[in-house]
Amino acid sequence: MMREGARLRLDYSAQSLWRVDRVIDGIRGEGAPYAAVESALRGLGAYAGEVIVRETGAEWWSAGGDHWVRTPDGRLWDPIDEARRCFTGDGSLRLLCREATAGG
């Protein structure tokens, strides 16, 4: 879980996602239960999605409470789910952004 007073400076750059991945690694390393960090992970995933939007000119899509990013090449990305995958040790928001900004 995020410690009170923790300062995470994010500037919506692709490079800032290195820090986000490290934060999620730290949360996982502390053994926090998913239910306790679900909201924070959703926020970090949304942040990563906004980075992709700004880097590529993508737009947010939503349906049934789920949210995706659609890049101009038509591909759909799920950064919120990727944040969950990061928490399980099987994902990276930095790599998701790199793939999304590479073009199709």
Side-chain angles (χ1 to χ4, degrees):
M1 58 191 81
M2 303 289 274
R3 288 199 169 103
E4 188 173 318
R7 302 231 187 265
L8 181 60
R9 296 188 188 271
L10 301 174
D11 61 4
Y12 293 98
S13 68
Q15 294 80 14
S16 69
L17 295 176
W18 281 92
R19 279 175 264 154
V20 174
D21 277 349
R22 284 194 309 251
V23 165
I24 295 172
D25 285 345
I27 293 169
R28 182 178 63 250
E30 291 178 3
Y34 177 77
V37 298
E38 181 177 8
S39 180
L41 292 172
R42 185 172 179 80
L44 293 169
Y47 170 78
E50 188 60 23
V51 170
I52 294 169
V53 165
R54 292 177 184 208
E55 293 275 326
T56 66
E59 59 187 5
W60 282 98
W61 281 44
S62 66
D66 292 324
H67 297 83
W68 303 277
V69 171
R70 184 171 188 249
T71 48
D73 60 14
R75 295 181 295 166
L76 288 173
W77 305 91
D78 191 344
I80 295 171
D81 186 58
E82 190 69 14
R84 292 181 196 119
R85 290 170 30 90
C86 289
F87 183 69
T88 65
D90 191 33
S92 168
L93 293 170
R94 175 186 58 84
L95 294 178
L96 179 77
C97 181
R98 185 170 75 181
E99 187 177 342
T101 58

